[in-house]
Amino acid sequence: MPLTPLDIHNKEFARRIRGYDEDEVNEFLDQVIKDYESVIRENKELRNDLMSLQERLDHFVNIEETLSKTIIVAQEAADELKTNAKKEAQLIVMESEKNADRIINEALSKSRKVSLEVEELKKQASIYRTRFRSLVEAQLELLKHDGWDSLESREPSLEPKEIY
């Protein structure tokens, strides 16, 4: 058990002949008591400071652990978000490719249909042209006959005819 300042103060020494000077010993003991009390007080303050610092350290360790866990959770959430975004982007690309293929197929189908219609119109135009040419040639043949010359030489009658 450690000494206390009171133990030092109450200590009595036996007296002997030719012993130490009692006043000098008492003064020294008083100085030791003061210094010992100061050391005890300082030790107590240091222990209190140590406890306070230990509490703060524990608090910061808890904060550090919490932050570490939070960072890990945030990283996992970011990774999951990134993975989901990639999947969604892939789905969008696949859907866009399907739509593009559908649009291309529809355009090709319409193009073929229009091409067939154009060919049909070309055939009809050719037939019409041939018929029209035949008609014009037939009309020219009629104009070449002499019957028209006799009609041109006659004078039309200007008198009105009565029709009853």
Side-chain angles (χ1 to χ4, degrees):
M1 176 172 200
L3 284 176
T4 65
L6 189 60
D7 292 337
I8 297 170
H9 180 69
N10 291 334
K11 178 69 176 164
E12 294 286 330
F13 296 97
R15 299 185 194 264
R16 294 197 176 190
I17 300 177
R18 297 187 67 190
Y20 294 109
D21 180 3
E22 189 177 334
D23 288 336
E24 198 174 315
V25 169
N26 285 337
E27 280 179 30
F28 181 74
L29 286 176
D30 286 343
Q31 184 63 41
V32 168
I33 290 171
K34 286 179 188 175
D35 289 348
Y36 194 66
E37 284 177 342
S38 174
V39 167
I40 289 175
R41 209 175 308 113
E42 185 179 341
N43 190 6
K44 192 174 187 179
E45 287 174 7
L46 289 173
R47 284 179 193 233
N48 287 339
D49 289 347
L50 178 64
M51 285 176 53
S52 174
L53 290 174
Q54 186 62 45
E55 286 175 5
R56 288 182 67 195
L57 178 63
D58 291 343
H59 175 71
F60 288 125
V61 166
N62 286 338
I63 289 175
E64 180 184 18
E65 288 174 3
T66 303
L67 287 175
S68 293
K69 289 176 184 176
T70 302
I71 288 171
I72 290 170
V73 169
Q75 184 64 42
E76 289 172 353
D79 290 344
E80 185 177 335
L81 198 71
K82 190 176 177 182
T83 302
N84 288 342
K86 283 182 180 180
K87 287 179 182 176
E88 188 173 338
Q90 288 174 344
L91 288 175
I92 290 171
V93 167
M94 287 173 48
E95 190 67 30
S96 297
E97 288 174 349
K98 285 180 184 177
N99 284 339
D101 288 343
R102 181 185 52 79
I103 290 169
I104 289 170
N105 288 335
E106 287 176 3
L108 287 173
S109 175
K110 286 180 182 179
S111 173
R112 285 186 203 111
K113 186 177 178 182
V114 167
S115 180
L116 291 174
E117 288 176 2
V118 166
E119 288 300 317
E120 182 63 30
L121 288 174
K122 283 180 182 180
K123 287 177 186 176
Q124 288 178 4
S126 178
I127 293 169
Y128 175 76
R129 193 170 140 220
T130 303
R131 286 183 182 169
F132 189 66
R133 181 179 291 146
S134 296
L135 178 66
V136 169
E137 288 174 354
Q139 293 299 318
L140 283 173
E141 283 299 316
L142 281 175
L143 288 175
K144 287 181 185 178
H145 290 305
D146 290 334
W148 284 99
D149 291 336
S150 64
L151 287 176
E152 287 178 355
S153 59
R154 279 201 226 166
E155 294 274 333
S157 150
L158 294 175
E159 293 180 20
K161 295 182 183 177
E162 290 185 31
I163 303 176
Y164 296 99

